Amino acid sequence: MHRSGTSCLTGSLQEAGLHMGVIHTWNPHNLKGNRENQQIVDINDRVLAFAGAAWDKPPAADIDWPQGEMESARELFASYADLSPFGFKDPRTLLTLAGWRQLFPHLQYIGIFRHPLAVAQSLANRSGMPIDQGLELWYEYNRRLLRQYREAAFPLLSFDDEQSLFQNKLQQVLGAMGFDATRWQGEFFDENLRSAHRENEGVVPWKVRRLYRKLQRLAA
């Protein structure tokens, strides 16, 4: 889900040796950048638009990709063939994952989640999204994250962990995924860049709280 520590996680993977092509390294809402490859984001946006959906209007079911977007993705990744290991980050991928899995059936995943109210508050701070809409969006993204995890488990981190605990867990995950964890010094993480904290938990719907507890139990 957006605003859930995905940029911190991806920046840390990059520090450990992950290649990502040309990515965003700064924007007004994320001073270290969202670490997203705009060409991949554009593909996801076009796939969503083809289905009458968007990042903040998730489709009800898996999306069939237009053939043209499948070809665009193949051509883009062919240009990265010499970069290994190569990866990408875009929260929209949870909404378009069926096509990516068809293109690249051996994708390796790593997931991260954050308390729903902290995410909703961050979205409200960034773009004025109402809290209840942010909570529902959190639910739609993270139920897909949980579904994918249940199909085949992968490393799952909580961005709510205290900094040193988060970094210790991430270092273990990096080693388990085949990265040279000794190359990673944890320099990307900056506690001061967390843009929201959870308050007034009473506004969180029961289904959202239950999903958050499920993810907590599964996290590294």
Side-chain angles (χ1 to χ4, degrees), residues 66-86:
Q67 189 58 38
E69 297 305 334
M70 299 287 279
E71 292 303 321
S72 293
R74 286 193 186 96
E75 291 176 8
L76 177 61
F77 275 70
S79 70
Y80 296 135
D82 293 334
L83 301 179
S84 181
F86 182 82

Side-chain angles (χ1 to χ4, degrees), residues 196-210:
H197 300 278
R198 58 184 191 259
E199 299 173 358
N200 191 18
E201 301 237 8
V203 305
V204 181
W206 175 79
K207 69 174 185 179
V208 177
R209 294 199 305 268
R210 181 179 65 172

Side-chain angles (χ1 to χ4, degrees), residues 18 27-28 35 40 47 57-58 65 67 89 100 128 135 139 152 155 166 189 220:
L18 184 70
N27 69 47
R35 323 309 287 186
I40 293 173
V47 169
K57 184 185 173 184
W65 282 38
Q67 189 58 38
K89 165 254 171 174
W100 291 111
L135 292 171
Y139 180 80
F166 177 83
F189 190 107

Side-chain angles (χ1 to χ4, degrees), residues 44 47 62-63 65 88 92-104 107 109 144-145 147-149 151 154:
N44 279 331
V47 169
D62 288 343
I63 297 175
W65 282 38
F88 68 95
R92 296 164 185 79
T93 305
L94 279 169
L95 310 180
T96 63
L97 189 56
W100 291 111
R101 292 176 65 182
Q102 183 178 344
L103 285 165
F104 308 111
L107 280 173
Y109 305 104
R144 289 169 168 84
L145 179 67
R147 182 181 66 181
Q148 183 63 29
Y149 180 92
E151 287 186 16
F154 49 82

Side-chain angles (χ1 to χ4, degrees), residues 22 31 47-48 51 53 56 59 78 110 113 117 136 138 155 157 167 169 173 185 197 201 210 218:
V22 179
L31 298 183
V47 169
L48 289 168
D56 56 352
I110 178 170
F113 66 94
L117 197 52
E136 183 63 28
W138 182 98
L157 295 165
Q167 290 180 311
K169 290 180 177 180
V173 166
Q185 302 299 317
H197 300 278
E201 301 237 8
R210 181 179 65 172
L218 296 171

Side-chain angles (χ1 to χ4, degrees), residues 124-197:
N125 295 342
R126 185 188 72 175
S127 52
M129 180 178 288
I131 293 294
D132 58 347
Q133 183 181 350
L135 292 171
E136 183 63 28
L137 200 60
W138 182 98
Y139 180 80
E140 288 299 321
Y141 274 76
N142 282 287
R143 73 179 182 86
R144 289 169 168 84
L145 179 67
L146 179 59
R147 182 181 66 181
Q148 183 63 29
Y149 180 92
R150 284 175 168 169
E151 287 186 16
F154 49 82
L156 185 61
L157 295 165
S158 171
F159 198 53
D160 297 313
D161 285 339
E162 180 271 330
Q163 179 174 349
S164 61
L165 178 60
F166 177 83
Q167 290 180 311
N168 286 339
K169 290 180 177 180
L170 179 52
Q171 191 156 34
Q172 295 174 24
V173 166
L174 290 172
M177 294 182 74
F179 289 96
D180 180 1
T182 62
R183 293 181 56 186
W184 182 71
Q185 302 299 317
E187 295 177 355
F188 192 88
F189 190 107
D190 185 347
E191 181 71 33
N192 295 323
L193 295 181
R194 294 199 201 215
S195 60
H197 300 278

